[in-house]
Amino acid sequence: MKLFLSVLLSLTLLSGCAITTQPIDTKSEAITLYYNDSIIQDQKCTEVGTVTGSEGHWYTFFFISNKDLMIAAVNDIKNEAQALNANTIVLQDPMAFNTSVTMLGSAYICP
């Protein structure tokens, strides 16, 4: 019984840590995401760096849906691109793990 109560208490305490996900900065909302870089080849875009976005921890699958993990990872990658003054991101395939989501992309400034 003590073990059960200990596990229940631990999960309850962890849920307080897991409820919040990565918010998006209002300036980052306008950043465009693409999965295919041929879309931006016709434009005269300048690559400004590689960006990553991730969300999730080993315990988050208990409390946060996959959809919310993905949205938070997108918010994170857009915020990182905003820090580079980019307005476009070309994403690689998202890396989904059992408990988290990680995205990798190239940030561009396009006219």
Side-chain angles (χ1 to χ4, degrees):
M1 185 64 172
K2 283 185 178 183
L3 178 62
F4 174 75
L5 291 174
S6 295
V7 170
L8 184 62
L9 178 63
S10 296
L11 289 175
T12 302
L13 291 174
L14 285 175
S15 70
C17 299
I19 291 174
T20 59
T21 57
Q22 179 68 34
I24 191 163
D25 184 297
T26 55
K27 294 178 185 174
S28 303
E29 291 176 353
I31 294 175
T32 306
L33 298 175
Y34 294 106
Y35 280 105
N36 186 343
D37 64 353
S38 66
I39 293 170
I40 65 164
Q41 288 176 352
D42 295 336
Q43 303 175 27
K44 297 190 190 258
C45 300
T46 304
E47 185 174 357
V48 292
T50 301
V51 289
T52 58
S54 62
E55 183 65 43
H57 304 283
W58 65 270
Y59 54 84
T60 53
F61 69 96
F62 286 119
F63 310 105
I64 301 175
S65 69
N66 289 338
K67 178 182 175 182
D68 289 338
L69 286 174
M70 184 63 88
I71 289 169
V74 168
N75 291 349
D76 192 27
I77 200 168
K78 282 185 167 187
N79 290 341
E80 193 169 316
Q82 174 59 38
L84 297 173
N85 294 318
N87 59 6
T88 303
I89 301 170
V90 176
L91 294 172
Q92 304 297 321
D93 289 332
M95 293 174 265
F97 302 98
N98 289 333
T99 60
S100 65
V101 174
T102 300
M103 305 180 103
L104 174 68
S106 299
Y108 294 87
I109 299 172
C110 298

